[in-house]
Every structure is written in structure tokens, then in C-alpha cells.
Coordinates of all heavy atoms in Angstrom, one line a residue:
G284 N 18.2 9.3 -9.5 CA 16.9 9.1 -8.6 C 17.3 8.1 -7.6 O 18.4 7.7 -7.3
F285 N 16.4 8.0 -6.7 CA 16.5 7.1 -5.6 C 16.0 5.7 -5.8 O 15.8 5.0 -4.8 CB 15.8 7.7 -4.3 CG 16.5 8.9 -3.9 CD1 16.0 10.2 -4.2 CD2 17.8 9.0 -3.2 CE1 16.6 11.3 -3.9 CE2 18.4 10.0 -2.9 CZ 17.8 11.3 -3.1
G286 N 15.6 5.5 -7.1 CA 15.0 4.1 -7.3 C 13.7 3.8 -6.5 O 12.9 4.7 -6.4
N287 N 13.6 2.7 -6.0 CA 12.2 2.4 -5.3 C 12.7 2.2 -3.8 O 11.9 1.6 -3.0 CB 11.7 1.1 -5.8 CG 13.0 -0.1 -5.8 OD1 13.8 0.0 -6.6 ND2 12.7 -0.9 -4.8
T288 N 13.5 3.0 -3.2 CA 14.0 2.9 -1.8 C 12.7 3.1 -0.8 O 12.7 2.2 0.1 CB 15.1 3.8 -1.5 OG1 16.2 3.6 -2.4 CG2 15.5 3.8 -0.1
P289 N 11.9 4.0 -1.0 CA 10.8 4.3 0.0 C 9.9 3.1 0.0 O 9.6 2.6 1.2 CB 10.0 5.4 -0.5 CG 11.1 6.2 -1.3 CD 11.9 5.2 -2.0
G290 N 9.6 2.4 -1.0 CA 8.8 1.2 -1.0 C 9.5 0.0 -0.3 O 8.8 -0.9 0.3
N291 N 10.8 -0.1 -0.5 CA 11.6 -1.1 0.1 C 11.6 -1.1 1.6 O 11.9 -2.1 2.4 CB 13.0 -1.3 -0.6 CG 13.0 -2.0 -1.7 OD1 12.0 -2.7 -2.1 ND2 14.0 -2.0 -2.5
L292 N 11.6 0.1 2.1 CA 11.6 0.3 3.5 C 10.3 -0.6 4.2 O 10.4 -0.9 5.3 CB 11.6 1.8 4.0 CG 12.9 2.4 3.5 CD1 12.9 4.0 3.9 CD2 14.1 1.8 4.3
I293 N 9.3 -0.4 3.4 CA 8.0 -1.1 3.9 C 8.1 -2.6 3.7 O 7.6 -3.4 4.6 CB 6.8 -0.5 3.2 CG1 6.7 0.9 3.5 CG2 5.5 -1.3 3.5 CD1 5.8 1.8 2.6
N294 N 8.6 -3.2 2.6 CA 8.4 -4.6 2.3 C 9.7 -5.3 2.5 O 9.9 -6.4 1.9 CB 7.9 -4.8 0.9 CG 8.8 -4.3 -0.2 OD1 10.1 -4.4 -0.1 ND2 8.4 -3.8 -1.4
E295 N 10.7 -4.9 3.2 CA 11.9 -5.5 3.6 C 12.8 -5.6 2.3 O 13.7 -6.6 2.3 CB 11.8 -6.8 4.3 CG 11.1 -6.7 5.6 CD 10.9 -8.0 6.4 OE1 10.9 -9.1 5.7 OE2 10.6 -8.0 7.5
G296 N 12.5 -4.9 1.3 CA 13.3 -5.0 0.0 C 13.2 -6.4 -0.8 O 14.1 -6.7 -1.5
R297 N 12.1 -7.0 -0.7 CA 11.9 -8.3 -1.4 C 11.3 -8.0 -2.7 O 11.1 -9.0 -3.5 CB 11.3 -9.3 -0.5 CG 12.1 -9.8 0.7 CD 11.5 -10.8 1.5 NE 12.2 -11.0 2.7 CZ 11.8 -11.7 3.8 NH1 10.7 -12.2 3.7 NH2 12.6 -11.8 4.8
F298 N 10.7 -6.8 -2.9 CA 10.1 -6.6 -4.2 C 10.5 -5.0 -4.7 O 10.6 -4.3 -3.8 CB 8.5 -6.6 -4.0 CG 7.9 -7.8 -3.5 CD1 7.8 -8.1 -2.3 CD2 7.6 -8.8 -4.4 CE1 7.3 -9.4 -1.7 CE2 7.1 -10.1 -4.0 CZ 6.9 -10.2 -2.6
A299 N 10.4 -5.0 -5.9 CA 10.7 -3.6 -6.6 C 9.9 -3.6 -7.8 O 9.6 -4.6 -8.5 CB 12.2 -3.4 -6.8
Y300 N 9.5 -2.4 -8.2 CA 8.8 -2.3 -9.6 C 9.6 -1.2 -10.3 O 9.9 -0.1 -9.8 CB 7.4 -1.8 -9.3 CG 6.7 -1.5 -10.5 CD1 6.0 -2.6 -11.2 CD2 6.6 -0.2 -11.0 CE1 5.3 -2.4 -12.3 CE2 5.8 0.0 -12.2 CZ 5.3 -1.1 -12.8 OH 4.6 -0.8 -14.1
A301 N 9.9 -1.5 -11.6 CA 10.5 -0.5 -12.5 C 10.3 -0.8 -13.8 O 10.3 -2.0 -14.3 CB 12.1 -0.5 -12.2
D302 N 10.0 0.2 -14.7 CA 9.9 0.1 -16.1 C 8.9 -1.0 -16.5 O 9.1 -1.9 -17.4 CB 11.2 -0.2 -16.7 CG 12.2 0.9 -16.4 OD1 11.8 2.2 -16.4 OD2 13.4 0.6 -16.1
G303 N 7.7 -1.1 -15.8 CA 6.7 -2.1 -16.2 C 7.0 -3.5 -15.7 O 6.3 -4.4 -16.1
R304 N 8.0 -3.7 -14.9 CA 8.4 -5.2 -14.5 C 8.5 -5.1 -13.0 O 8.9 -4.1 -12.4 CB 9.6 -5.6 -15.2 CG 9.5 -5.9 -16.6 CD 10.7 -6.6 -17.2 NE 11.0 -8.1 -16.8 CZ 10.3 -9.0 -17.3 NH1 9.4 -8.9 -18.4 NH2 10.5 -10.2 -16.9
I305 N 8.2 -6.3 -12.3 CA 8.5 -6.3 -10.9 C 9.8 -7.2 -10.8 O 10.2 -8.1 -11.6 CB 7.4 -7.2 -10.1 CG1 7.0 -8.5 -10.8 CG2 6.1 -6.1 -10.1 CD1 6.0 -9.2 -9.9
Y306 N 10.5 -7.0 -9.8 CA 11.8 -7.6 -9.4 C 11.6 -8.1 -7.9 O 11.2 -7.4 -7.1 CB 13.0 -6.6 -9.5 CG 13.2 -6.1 -10.9 CD1 12.4 -5.1 -11.4 CD2 14.0 -6.8 -11.8 CE1 12.5 -4.5 -12.7 CE2 14.1 -6.2 -13.1 CZ 13.4 -5.2 -13.5 OH 13.5 -4.8 -14.9
Y307 N 11.8 -9.3 -7.8 CA 11.4 -9.9 -6.4 C 12.3 -11.1 -6.1 O 12.9 -11.8 -6.9 CB 9.9 -10.3 -6.4 CG 9.6 -11.4 -7.5 CD1 9.5 -12.7 -7.1 CD2 9.3 -11.1 -8.9 CE1 9.3 -13.8 -8.0 CE2 9.3 -12.1 -9.8 CZ 8.9 -13.4 -9.3 OH 8.7 -14.3 -10.3
S308 N 12.2 -11.3 -4.8 CA 12.9 -12.5 -4.1 C 11.9 -13.5 -4.1 O 10.9 -13.4 -3.4 CB 13.3 -12.1 -2.7 OG 13.8 -13.2 -2.0
D309 N 12.1 -14.7 -4.8 CA 11.3 -15.8 -4.9 C 11.4 -16.8 -3.8 O 12.2 -17.5 -3.8 CB 11.3 -16.4 -6.3 CG 10.1 -17.4 -6.6 OD1 9.5 -17.9 -5.7 OD2 10.0 -17.7 -7.8
A310 N 10.4 -16.9 -2.9 CA 10.5 -17.8 -1.7 C 10.4 -19.2 -2.2 O 10.9 -20.1 -1.4 CB 9.4 -17.5 -0.7
M311 N 9.9 -19.5 -3.4 CA 9.8 -20.8 -3.9 C 11.2 -21.3 -4.4 O 11.3 -22.6 -4.7 CB 8.7 -21.0 -5.0 CG 7.3 -20.5 -4.5 SD 6.7 -21.6 -3.1 CE 6.4 -23.1 -4.0
D312 N 12.1 -20.4 -4.6 CA 13.4 -20.8 -5.1 C 14.5 -20.3 -4.3 O 15.4 -19.6 -4.6 CB 13.6 -20.3 -6.6 CG 14.9 -20.8 -7.1 OD1 15.5 -21.7 -6.7 OD2 15.2 -20.2 -8.2
G313 N 14.4 -20.5 -2.9 CA 15.4 -20.1 -1.9 C 15.7 -18.6 -1.9 O 16.7 -18.2 -1.5
E314 N 14.7 -17.8 -2.3 CA 14.7 -16.3 -2.4 C 15.7 -15.8 -3.5 O 16.3 -14.7 -3.3 CB 15.0 -15.7 -1.0 CG 14.1 -16.0 0.0 CD 14.2 -15.3 1.4 OE1 15.3 -15.6 2.0 OE2 13.4 -14.5 1.7
S315 N 15.9 -16.5 -4.5 CA 16.7 -16.0 -5.7 C 15.9 -14.9 -6.3 O 14.7 -14.7 -6.1 CB 16.9 -17.1 -6.7 OG 17.7 -18.2 -6.3
L316 N 16.6 -14.1 -7.0 CA 16.1 -12.9 -7.7 C 15.5 -13.2 -9.1 O 16.1 -13.8 -9.9 CB 17.3 -11.8 -7.9 CG 16.9 -10.5 -8.5 CD1 15.9 -9.7 -7.6 CD2 18.2 -9.8 -8.9
Y317 N 14.2 -12.7 -9.2 CA 13.5 -12.9 -10.4 C 12.9 -11.6 -10.9 O 12.8 -10.7 -10.2 CB 12.4 -13.8 -10.2 CG 12.7 -15.4 -10.3 CD1 13.3 -16.0 -9.1 CD2 12.6 -16.0 -11.5 CE1 13.6 -17.3 -9.1 CE2 12.9 -17.4 -11.4 CZ 13.4 -18.0 -10.3 OH 13.8 -19.3 -10.2
S318 N 12.5 -11.6 -12.2 CA 11.9 -10.5 -12.8 C 10.7 -11.0 -13.6 O 10.8 -12.1 -14.2 CB 12.7 -9.7 -13.8 OG 12.0 -8.9 -14.7
A319 N 9.5 -10.3 -13.6 CA 8.4 -10.7 -14.3 C 7.5 -9.5 -14.6 O 7.7 -8.4 -14.0 CB 7.6 -11.7 -13.5
L320 N 6.5 -9.8 -15.4 CA 5.5 -8.6 -15.7 C 4.6 -8.7 -14.4 O 4.5 -9.8 -13.8 CB 4.7 -9.0 -16.9 CG 5.5 -8.9 -18.3 CD1 4.6 -9.3 -19.4 CD2 5.9 -7.5 -18.5
P321 N 3.8 -7.7 -14.2 CA 3.0 -7.7 -13.0 C 2.0 -8.8 -12.9 O 1.5 -9.2 -11.9 CB 2.3 -6.4 -13.0 CG 3.3 -5.5 -13.8 CD 3.9 -6.4 -14.8
D322 N 1.6 -9.4 -14.2 CA 0.7 -10.5 -14.1 C 1.3 -11.9 -13.9 O 0.7 -13.0 -14.0 CB -0.2 -10.5 -15.3 CG 0.6 -10.7 -16.6 OD1 1.8 -11.0 -16.5 OD2 0.0 -10.6 -17.7
G323 N 2.7 -11.8 -13.7 CA 3.5 -13.0 -13.5 C 4.1 -13.6 -14.8 O 4.8 -14.7 -14.6
K324 N 3.6 -13.2 -16.0 CA 4.1 -13.7 -17.2 C 5.7 -13.2 -17.4 O 6.0 -12.2 -16.8 CB 3.2 -13.4 -18.3 CG 1.9 -13.9 -18.3 CD 1.1 -13.5 -19.4 CE -0.3 -14.2 -19.2 NZ -1.3 -13.8 -20.2
E325 N 6.3 -13.9 -18.4 CA 7.7 -13.5 -18.7 C 8.6 -13.5 -17.5 O 9.4 -12.7 -17.3 CB 7.8 -12.2 -19.5 CG 7.0 -12.1 -20.8 CD 7.2 -10.9 -21.5 OE1 8.2 -10.1 -21.2 OE2 6.3 -10.5 -22.3
K326 N 8.5 -14.6 -16.7 CA 9.3 -14.8 -15.5 C 10.7 -15.2 -16.0 O 10.9 -16.1 -16.6 CB 8.7 -15.8 -14.6 CG 9.4 -16.0 -13.2 CD 8.6 -17.1 -12.4 CE 9.4 -17.5 -11.2 NZ 8.7 -18.3 -10.4
V327 N 11.7 -14.4 -15.4 CA 13.1 -14.7 -15.7 C 13.9 -14.6 -14.4 O 13.8 -13.7 -13.6 CB 13.6 -13.5 -16.6 CG1 15.1 -13.8 -17.0 CG2 12.8 -13.5 -17.9
K328 N 14.8 -15.7 -14.3 CA 15.6 -15.7 -13.0 C 16.9 -14.8 -13.3 O 17.5 -15.0 -14.4 CB 16.1 -17.1 -12.8 CG 16.9 -17.3 -11.5 CD 17.2 -18.8 -11.1 CE 17.8 -18.9 -9.9 NZ 17.9 -20.4 -9.4
L329 N 17.1 -13.9 -12.5 CA 18.3 -13.0 -12.7 C 19.6 -13.3 -11.9 O 20.6 -13.1 -12.3 CB 17.9 -11.5 -12.3 CG 16.6 -11.0 -13.1 CD1 16.4 -9.5 -12.7 CD2 16.9 -11.1 -14.6
A330 N 19.3 -13.8 -10.7 CA 20.5 -14.1 -9.8 C 20.1 -15.2 -8.8 O 19.0 -15.2 -8.2 CB 20.9 -12.9 -9.1
E331 N 21.0 -16.0 -8.6 CA 20.9 -17.1 -7.4 C 21.4 -16.5 -6.3 O 22.1 -15.6 -6.1 CB 21.9 -18.2 -7.9 CG 21.8 -19.4 -6.9 CD 20.6 -20.3 -7.3 OE1 20.2 -20.5 -8.5 OE2 20.2 -21.1 -6.4
G332 N 20.7 -16.9 -5.2 CA 21.1 -16.4 -3.8 C 19.9 -16.3 -2.8 O 18.8 -16.7 -3.2
Q333 N 20.1 -15.8 -1.7 CA 19.1 -15.3 -0.9 C 18.9 -13.8 -0.9 O 19.8 -13.1 0.0 CB 19.3 -15.8 0.6 CG 18.2 -15.8 1.6 CD 18.5 -16.3 3.0 OE1 19.6 -16.9 3.2 NE2 17.5 -16.1 3.9
I334 N 18.2 -13.2 -1.8 CA 18.2 -11.9 -2.1 C 17.2 -11.0 -1.3 O 16.0 -11.3 -1.1 CB 17.9 -11.7 -3.7 CG1 18.8 -12.7 -4.4 CG2 18.0 -10.2 -4.0 CD1 20.3 -12.5 -4.4
H335 N 17.6 -10.0 -0.8 CA 16.9 -8.9 0.0 C 17.3 -7.6 -0.4 O 18.3 -7.4 -1.1 CB 17.1 -9.1 1.5 CG 16.4 -10.3 2.1 ND1 15.6 -10.3 3.1 CD2 16.4 -11.6 1.6 CE1 15.2 -11.6 3.4 NE2 15.7 -12.4 2.5
H336 N 16.6 -6.6 0.0 CA 17.0 -5.2 -0.3 C 17.1 -4.8 -1.7 O 18.1 -4.3 -2.2 CB 18.2 -4.7 0.6 CG 18.0 -5.1 2.1 ND1 17.1 -4.5 2.8 CD2 18.6 -6.0 2.8 CE1 17.2 -5.0 4.1 NE2 18.0 -5.9 4.0
I337 N 16.1 -5.3 -2.6 CA 16.2 -5.1 -4.0 C 16.0 -3.5 -4.4 O 15.0 -2.9 -3.8 CB 15.1 -5.9 -4.8 CG1 15.4 -7.4 -4.5 CG2 15.2 -5.7 -6.2 CD1 14.3 -8.3 -4.7
N338 N 16.8 -2.9 -5.2 CA 16.7 -1.6 -5.7 C 17.0 -1.5 -7.2 O 18.0 -2.1 -7.5 CB 17.4 -0.5 -4.8 CG 16.8 0.8 -4.9 OD1 16.1 1.1 -5.7 ND2 17.1 1.6 -3.8
V339 N 16.1 -0.9 -7.9 CA 16.3 -0.8 -9.4 C 16.7 0.7 -9.8 O 16.0 1.5 -9.5 CB 15.2 -1.3 -10.1 CG1 15.6 -1.2 -11.7 CG2 14.7 -2.7 -9.8
V340 N 18.0 0.7 -10.3 CA 18.3 2.1 -10.7 C 19.0 2.0 -12.2 O 20.0 1.2 -12.4 CB 19.5 2.6 -9.8 CG1 20.0 4.0 -10.2 CG2 19.0 2.7 -8.3
D341 N 18.4 2.7 -13.0 CA 18.9 2.6 -14.5 C 18.7 1.2 -15.0 O 17.7 0.5 -14.8 CB 20.1 3.2 -14.7 CG 20.1 4.7 -14.2 OD1 19.2 5.4 -14.6 OD2 21.1 5.2 -13.8
D342 N 19.9 0.7 -15.5 CA 19.8 -0.7 -16.1 C 20.3 -1.8 -15.1 O 20.4 -2.9 -15.4 CB 20.8 -0.8 -17.2 CG 20.4 0.0 -18.5 OD1 19.1 0.2 -18.6 OD2 21.2 0.5 -19.2
W343 N 20.4 -1.4 -13.7 CA 20.9 -2.2 -12.8 C 19.9 -2.7 -11.7 O 19.2 -1.8 -11.4 CB 22.1 -1.8 -12.1 CG 23.3 -1.6 -13.0 CD1 23.7 -0.4 -13.8 CD2 24.3 -2.7 -13.5 NE1 24.9 -0.8 -14.6 CE2 25.2 -2.0 -14.3 CE3 24.5 -3.9 -13.0 CZ2 26.3 -2.8 -14.9 CZ3 25.5 -4.7 -13.6 CH2 26.4 -4.2 -14.5
V344 N 20.0 -3.7 -11.3 CA 19.3 -4.3 -10.1 C 20.2 -4.4 -8.9 O 21.1 -5.3 -9.0 CB 18.5 -5.5 -10.3 CG1 17.7 -5.9 -9.0 CG2 17.6 -5.4 -11.5
Y345 N 20.1 -3.7 -7.9 CA 21.1 -3.8 -6.7 C 20.4 -4.6 -5.6 O 19.1 -4.5 -5.5 CB 21.4 -2.4 -6.2 CG 22.2 -1.6 -7.1 CD1 21.7 -0.7 -8.2 CD2 23.6 -1.5 -7.0 CE1 22.4 -0.1 -9.0 CE2 24.5 -0.8 -7.8 CZ 23.9 -0.1 -8.9 OH 24.5 0.6 -9.7
F346 N 21.2 -5.4 -4.9 CA 20.5 -6.2 -3.8 C 21.6 -6.7 -2.8 O 22.8 -6.5 -3.1 CB 19.9 -7.4 -4.5 CG 20.8 -8.3 -5.4 CD1 21.5 -9.3 -4.8 CD2 20.9 -8.0 -6.6 CE1 22.4 -10.1 -5.6 CE2 21.8 -8.7 -7.5 CZ 22.4 -9.8 -7.0
V347 N 21.1 -7.1 -1.8 CA 22.0 -7.7 -0.7 C 21.8 -9.3 -0.7 O 20.6 -9.8 -0.8 CB 21.7 -7.3 0.8 CG1 22.4 -8.1 1.7 CG2 22.0 -5.8 0.8
D348 N 22.9 -10.0 -0.9 CA 22.7 -11.5 -0.9 C 23.2 -12.0 0.4 O 24.3 -12.1 0.8 CB 23.7 -12.0 -2.0 CG 23.5 -13.6 -2.2 OD1 22.8 -14.3 -1.4 OD2 24.1 -14.1 -3.2
L349 N 22.2 -12.5 1.1 CA 22.5 -13.0 2.5 C 23.3 -14.4 2.5 O 24.1 -14.6 3.4 CB 21.0 -13.4 3.2 CG 20.3 -12.2 3.9 CD1 20.1 -11.2 3.0 CD2 19.2 -12.7 4.6
K350 N 23.3 -15.2 1.3 CA 24.2 -16.3 1.3 C 25.5 -16.0 0.9 O 26.4 -16.7 1.0 CB 23.5 -17.2 0.2 CG 22.3 -18.0 0.5 CD 22.1 -19.1 -0.6 CE 21.0 -20.0 -0.1 NZ 20.5 -21.0 -1.2
Q351 N 25.8 -14.8 0.6 CA 27.2 -14.3 0.1 C 27.5 -13.3 1.1 O 28.1 -12.2 0.8 CB 27.1 -13.6 -1.3 CG 28.5 -13.5 -1.8 CD 28.5 -12.9 -3.3 OE1 27.4 -12.4 -3.7 NE2 29.6 -12.8 -4.0
N352 N 27.5 -13.6 2.5 CA 28.0 -12.9 3.6 C 27.4 -11.4 3.5 O 28.1 -10.5 3.9 CB 29.6 -12.7 3.7 CG 30.1 -14.1 3.8 OD1 29.6 -14.9 4.7 ND2 31.2 -14.3 3.0
Y353 N 26.1 -11.3 3.1 CA 25.5 -9.9 3.1 C 26.1 -9.0 2.2 O 26.0 -7.8 2.3 CB 25.3 -9.4 4.4 CG 24.3 -10.2 5.3 CD1 24.6 -11.3 5.9 CD2 23.0 -9.6 5.5 CE1 23.8 -12.1 6.7 CE2 22.1 -10.4 6.3 CZ 22.5 -11.5 6.8 OH 21.6 -12.3 7.7
N354 N 26.8 -9.4 1.2 CA 27.6 -8.5 0.2 C 26.5 -7.8 -0.6 O 25.4 -8.2 -0.8 CB 28.3 -9.3 -0.8 CG 29.7 -9.8 -0.1 OD1 30.0 -9.4 0.9 ND2 30.2 -10.8 -0.9
I355 N 26.8 -6.5 -1.0 CA 26.0 -5.7 -1.8 C 26.4 -6.1 -3.2 O 27.6 -6.0 -3.6 CB 26.1 -4.2 -1.6 CG1 25.6 -3.9 -0.1 CG2 25.2 -3.4 -2.6 CD1 25.8 -2.6 0.3
C356 N 25.3 -6.5 -4.1 CA 25.7 -6.9 -5.5 C 24.9 -6.2 -6.4 O 23.9 -5.5 -5.9 CB 25.4 -8.4 -5.5 SG 26.3 -9.5 -4.4
K357 N 25.2 -6.3 -7.7 CA 24.3 -5.8 -8.7 C 24.3 -6.7 -9.9 O 25.3 -7.5 -10.0 CB 24.7 -4.3 -9.2 CG 26.1 -4.3 -9.9 CD 26.4 -2.8 -10.3 CE 27.7 -2.8 -11.1 NZ 28.0 -1.5 -11.5
V358 N 23.2 -6.6 -10.6 CA 23.1 -7.4 -11.9 C 22.3 -6.6 -12.9 O 21.6 -5.9 -12.5 CB 22.4 -8.8 -11.6 CG1 21.0 -8.7 -11.2 CG2 22.6 -9.7 -12.8
K359 N 22.6 -6.8 -14.2 CA 21.9 -6.1 -15.2 C 20.5 -6.6 -15.2 O 20.2 -7.7 -14.8 CB 22.5 -6.2 -16.6 CG 23.8 -5.5 -16.7 CD 23.7 -4.7 -17.9 CE 25.1 -3.7 -18.0 NZ 24.9 -2.8 -19.1
K360 N 19.3 -5.8 -15.7 CA 18.2 -6.3 -15.7 C 17.8 -7.5 -16.5 O 16.8 -8.1 -16.3 CB 17.3 -5.1 -16.3 CG 17.0 -3.9 -15.4 CD 16.2 -2.9 -16.0 CE 15.9 -1.8 -15.0 NZ 15.2 -0.6 -15.9
D361 N 18.8 -7.8 -17.4 CA 18.7 -9.1 -18.3 C 19.3 -10.3 -17.5 O 19.5 -11.4 -18.1 CB 19.1 -8.9 -19.6 CG 20.6 -8.6 -19.8 OD1 21.2 -8.7 -18.6 OD2 21.1 -8.4 -20.8
G362 N 20.0 -10.1 -16.3 CA 20.5 -11.2 -15.6 C 22.1 -11.3 -15.9 O 22.7 -12.2 -15.3
T363 N 22.6 -10.4 -16.6 CA 24.0 -10.6 -17.0 C 24.8 -9.7 -16.1 O 24.3 -8.8 -15.5 CB 24.2 -10.2 -18.4 OG1 23.9 -8.9 -18.7 CG2 23.5 -11.1 -19.4
E364 N 26.1 -9.8 -16.1 CA 27.1 -9.1 -15.4 C 26.9 -8.9 -13.9 O 27.0 -7.8 -13.4 CB 27.1 -7.7 -16.1 CG 27.5 -7.6 -17.5 CD 27.7 -6.3 -18.1 OE1 28.3 -5.4 -17.4 OE2 27.4 -6.2 -19.3
R365 N 26.6 -10.0 -13.3 CA 26.6 -9.9 -11.7 C 27.9 -9.6 -11.2 O 28.9 -10.1 -11.5 CB 26.2 -11.2 -11.1 CG 26.0 -11.2 -9.7 CD 25.5 -12.4 -8.9 NE 25.5 -12.3 -7.6 CZ 24.7 -13.0 -6.7 NH1 23.9 -13.9 -7.2 NH2 24.9 -13.0 -5.4
T366 N 27.8 -8.5 -10.4 CA 29.1 -8.0 -9.7 C 28.8 -7.8 -8.2 O 27.8 -7.3 -7.9 CB 29.5 -6.7 -10.3 OG1 29.3 -6.8 -11.8 CG2 30.8 -6.1 -10.0
T367 N 29.9 -8.0 -7.4 CA 29.8 -7.6 -6.0 C 30.3 -6.2 -5.9 O 31.4 -5.8 -6.4 CB 30.8 -8.5 -5.2 OG1 30.3 -9.9 -5.3 CG2 30.8 -8.1 -3.7
V368 N 29.5 -5.3 -5.4 CA 29.8 -3.9 -5.3 C 30.5 -3.5 -4.0 O 31.5 -2.8 -4.0 CB 28.4 -3.1 -5.3 CG1 28.7 -1.7 -5.1 CG2 27.7 -3.3 -6.6
L369 N 30.1 -4.3 -2.9 CA 30.7 -4.0 -1.6 C 30.7 -5.3 -0.7 O 29.7 -6.0 -0.6 CB 29.9 -2.9 -0.9 CG 30.6 -2.5 0.5 CD1 31.9 -1.9 0.3 CD2 29.6 -1.5 1.1
E370 N 31.9 -5.7 -0.4 CA 32.0 -7.0 0.4 C 31.9 -6.7 1.9 O 32.4 -5.6 2.4 CB 33.2 -7.7 0.2 CG 33.3 -8.3 -1.2 CD 34.6 -9.1 -1.5 OE1 35.3 -9.3 -0.6 OE2 34.7 -9.4 -2.7

């Protein structure tokens, strides 16, 4: 599938919704990547950085980290296995 790409074209990729959770760039924490339930509960920090262009596909959250030279990265939905996909 294409994940949430159409929605990200509208919101600059700072939010994504998948499998009952939202994935977002938290402006209160330097735009680091977080996941939470739609009501804000069960908030979990997934990745440090200035995260944009979030897209969720299968078990992975893909994003661009502006603090890491705009590299394309991915991290598992539980915050493990952060990997740089494209430098």
C-alpha cells in the first residue's frame, strides 16, 4: 500500500494515522517523533530529531530527519531499530 501519503501532502508530513494510533512530530519536544492514541493517551517517544514527512507502512514508521541532513529514516512502531534508509 501507499501508507498515508495523500494525507501527508496536506499536513507537511507531521502527522500520520495507522492501526488506531497517531504518529506525529511533537513541537513541544523539538519535533521529535511520538505515537499516541487519538485521545492523547499512551504517548510514546519513538525517535529524537526534527521529524517531518511521516509515513507508516506495515511495522515501520518512515520519516525525514531535518537534524540529520534530511536523511530518510525508519523506526519500528515500538521505537526500536532506528535505521537510516537513504543519506
Side-chain angles (χ1 to χ4, degrees):
F285 294 104
N287 53 286
T288 301
N291 275 349
L292 294 175
I293 296 167
N294 67 35
E295 299 179 341
R297 295 185 188 168
F298 301 91
Y300 178 83
D302 303 319
R304 294 186 69 84
I305 55 170
Y306 298 84
Y307 62 98
S308 176
D309 190 340
M311 301 300 289
D312 187 18
E314 298 187 297
S315 289
L316 178 65
Y317 280 82
S318 168
L320 293 175
D322 64 5
K324 293 181 180 172
E325 295 184 23
K326 181 177 176 178
V327 179
K328 186 173 187 173
L329 302 180
E331 186 80 28
Q333 190 176 357
I334 309 301
H335 287 227
H336 307 293
I337 301 164
N338 202 340
V339 183
V340 180
D341 299 323
D342 291 335
W343 294 95
V344 183
Y345 292 84
F346 55 91
V347 173
D348 187 349
L349 277 57
K350 282 188 175 178
Q351 193 180 12
N352 298 319
Y353 290 78
N354 288 343
I355 299 172
C356 303
K357 68 179 182 177
V358 67
K359 289 238 175 180
K360 287 180 180 177
D361 63 3
T363 62
E364 298 185 41
R365 179 176 174 156
T366 308
T367 299
V368 177
L369 184 63
E370 292 185 10

